[in-house]
Amino acid sequence: MIGEPGVSRLDALRFARRVVAQQTIRQPALIDRWIADEERREAEPAGQARRPTAANRLIQHGLNRTNRDAVHTSDCWAAARNGRCRPATREEAHDALRQHVPACVHCRPDTAPGIHS
């Protein structure tokens, strides 16, 4: 770079100064973010760090995996025998029931508290 025609030593030094100035601005913000992440980790109770919430509902899919055949609770025996059930959040199960996906006749997830059609 320095030995190339058209790039003077002065241009190279000015470029180096711009790079250092940009890093001086960016690095403290990055370190502040690391500090905030670490403070958040320390504030979490032990054992609960970044644990995903357990799905309390299951949605049974059809053979082509695009159709939804039924909504189950997570402890339904009929869903346990079926290999086409996928975990779903409470909101996803409510949406499926509102879209007229049938509720399982054995576990009746549509009668759980908080379900309103």
Side-chain angles (χ1 to χ4, degrees):
M1 181 170 143
I2 294 177
E4 296 178 15
V7 177
S8 71
R9 185 169 170 82
L10 182 59
D11 289 337
L13 288 171
R14 287 183 179 146
F15 174 76
R17 186 184 187 296
R18 284 194 306 269
V19 169
V20 170
Q22 287 176 349
Q23 292 301 317
T24 303
I25 292 169
R26 290 182 185 164
Q27 292 305 317
L30 178 63
I31 293 171
D32 289 343
R33 199 169 349 135
W34 292 342
I35 290 170
D37 289 345
E38 197 59 34
E39 287 172 342
R40 197 171 19 256
R41 276 190 211 104
E42 287 183 2
E44 291 176 348
Q48 292 185 353
R50 301 182 190 265
R51 184 176 293 167
T53 59
N56 56 358
R57 302 285 188 272
L58 299 169
I59 295 181
Q60 177 181 332
H61 291 273
L63 293 176
N64 64 359
R65 301 210 185 261
T66 57
N67 294 340
R68 295 179 295 178
D69 292 341
V71 177
H72 300 272
T73 59
S74 60
D75 57 350
C76 178
W77 65 268
R81 299 179 74 195
N82 185 331
R84 298 184 318 221
C85 291
R86 301 284 177 260
T89 63
R90 187 179 191 97
E91 292 77 27
E92 290 169 339
H94 288 191
D95 289 341
L97 291 170
R98 283 188 210 105
Q99 294 171 6
H100 305 290
V101 175
C104 173
V105 296
H106 303 288
C107 62
R108 301 296 299 173
D110 55 339
T111 60
I115 303 280
H116 304 291
S117 297

